[in-house]
């Protein structure tokens, strides 16, 4: 993790975390255990080993976090919290009259870190007809938002369900189409939400397609057959993430696998211990997190309406927390 300057980091006591004692710390511990063994730093290994032996009651779980971690605020609140989810969509393994919009496998010539065809070029056929089509959907807007979410479940016409996950991108930076709509004057900033964007693009297909193309970033997918139906999608650490316990963060400032205390304000505020188990192209900065809301339409509706302030607090091993201040 990139060390933040001392002026941008503050160590807190757990008593300073709003609602800390009221959370379900067992749920947070279970989510932490999913990926803690993947944290590639020597000071995390003994903590992970001890976590596996913590009794599954809230007092013991809370004591574990209080004993081995220090809360650290990196950056200057307010934070920006958004939400994401795993869509459930209708699809076909072949192109039909209804299913006209492909999602693609990763092209073999694509190299990480280099720019490939833009979204506009790909949607205009730059890689069509090469057998890279993984599935066909019935809505171009669903294709776009599936890429934004990075994973999904596709109910095929033969009754099977295909789980798909992120397989790479075309190397172009993500650009917010919400900001583009505000720039063009179709919406004000407080009117922009995922449901509103989707509805506007569907109602204005020509202008909507043009707006979508202002985001040159394009995501490729791979089929995932190793997950049970109850499992969440695969996150950036290569394991299943947990509804309302996993967040996507900027790994330049927050270590993947670290517990993070979320104090989200807004219309539906909550205080919850979560785990940094994912990343996202639009998730940049110290006080920035994308909250995973689960699978399906209800989760999508909840996630799409989140654009709230609050505070993000890292839980770091004690020596690492104090070293962060020393490094400044």
């Amino acid at each position: 993790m990139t060390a933040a300057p001392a002026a941008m980091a503050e160590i807190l006591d757990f008593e300073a975390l709003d609602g800390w004692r009221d959370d379900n710390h067992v749920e947070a511990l279970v989510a932490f255990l999913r990926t803690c063994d993947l944290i590639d730093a020597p000071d995390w290994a003994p903590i992970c080993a001890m976590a596996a032996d913590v009794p599954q009651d809230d007092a013991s779980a809370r004591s574990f976090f209080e004993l081995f971690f220090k809360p650290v605020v990196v950056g200057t609140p307010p934070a920006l919290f958004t939400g994401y989810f795993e869509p459930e969509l209708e699809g076909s393994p072949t192109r039909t009259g209804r299913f006209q919009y492909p999602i693609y496998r990763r092209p073999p010539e694509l190299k990480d870190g280099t720019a490939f065809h833009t979204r506009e070029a790909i949607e205009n056929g730059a890689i069509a007809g090469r057998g890279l089509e993984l599935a066909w959907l019935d809505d171009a807007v669903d294709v776009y938002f599936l890429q934004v979410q990075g994973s999904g479940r596709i109910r095929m016409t033969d009754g099977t369900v295909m789980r798909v996950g992120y397989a790479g991108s075309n190397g172009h930076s993500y650009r917010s189409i919400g900001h583009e709509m505000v720039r063009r004057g179709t919406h004000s900033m407080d009117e922009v939400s995922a449901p509103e964007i989707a509805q506007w693009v569907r109602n204005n297909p020509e202008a909507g397609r043009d707006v979508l193309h202002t985001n040159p970033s394009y995501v490729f997918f791979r089929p995932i057959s190793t997950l049970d139906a109850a499992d969440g999608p695969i996150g950036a650490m290569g394991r299943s993430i947990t509804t309302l316990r996993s967040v996507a963060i900027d790994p330049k400032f927050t270590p993947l696998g670290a517990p993070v205390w979320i104090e989200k304000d807004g219309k539906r505020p909550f205080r919850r211990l979560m785990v940094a188990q994912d990343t996202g192209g639009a998730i940049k900065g110290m006080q920035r997190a994308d909250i995973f809301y689960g699978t399906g339409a209800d989760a999508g509706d909840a996630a799409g309406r989140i654009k709230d302030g609050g505070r993000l607090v890292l839980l770091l091993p004690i020596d690492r927390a104090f070293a962060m201040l020393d490094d400044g």
Side-chain angles (χ1 to χ4, degrees), residues 92 94-100 136 157:
S92 170
T94 59
R95 185 174 186 174
T96 69
R98 173 185 172 188
F99 297 99
Q100 293 282 322
W136 298 80
T157 50

Side-chain angles (χ1 to χ4, degrees), residues 100-111:
Q100 293 282 322
Y101 304 99
I103 62 171
Y104 287 106
R105 303 175 189 271
R106 179 185 176 119
E109 70 272 25
L110 177 65
K111 294 181 173 59

Side-chain angles (χ1 to χ4, degrees), residues 136-159:
W136 298 80
L137 306 186
D138 59 358
D139 186 348
V141 178
D142 283 344
V143 171
Y144 182 87
F145 279 101
L146 178 63
Q147 293 181 18
V148 171
Q149 305 306 324
S151 62
R153 306 185 190 211
I154 302 174
R155 298 188 180 278
M156 296 297 208
T157 50
D158 62 3

Side-chain angles (χ1 to χ4, degrees), residues 34 86 153 163 226-233 240-241 295:
R34 280 184 177 267
E86 182 187 30
R153 306 185 190 211
R163 302 283 293 269
T226 57
L227 295 177
D228 292 333
D231 290 337
S240 181
I241 59 177
T295 298

Side-chain angles (χ1 to χ4, degrees), residues 84 246-250 275-280 283 288-292:
Y84 72 114
S246 297
V247 292
I249 47 74
D250 186 342
V275 187
Q277 293 170 319
D278 210 354
T279 60
I283 312 305
R288 184 71 175 93
D290 208 19
I291 299 166
F292 178 60

Side-chain angles (χ1 to χ4, degrees), residues 170-191:
N170 63 344
H172 291 269
S173 297
Y174 176 91
R175 288 187 59 192
S176 168
I177 62 171
H179 289 167
E180 178 64 18
M181 292 165 70
V182 172
R183 190 189 71 80
R184 294 186 180 198
T186 63
H187 293 72
S188 63
M189 186 58 74
D190 61 347
E191 292 173 330

Side-chain angles (χ1 to χ4, degrees), residues 178-223:
H179 289 167
E180 178 64 18
M181 292 165 70
V182 172
R183 190 189 71 80
R184 294 186 180 198
T186 63
H187 293 72
S188 63
M189 186 58 74
D190 61 347
E191 292 173 330
V192 173
S193 67
E196 174 58 28
I197 290 171
Q199 191 60 48
W200 186 87
V201 172
R202 291 185 179 110
N203 290 343
N204 301 273
E206 186 172 341
R209 180 179 173 85
D210 183 57
V211 167
L212 294 182
H213 286 170
T214 64
N215 176 17
S217 177
Y218 194 92
V219 169
F220 302 102
F221 293 97
R222 61 188 176 94

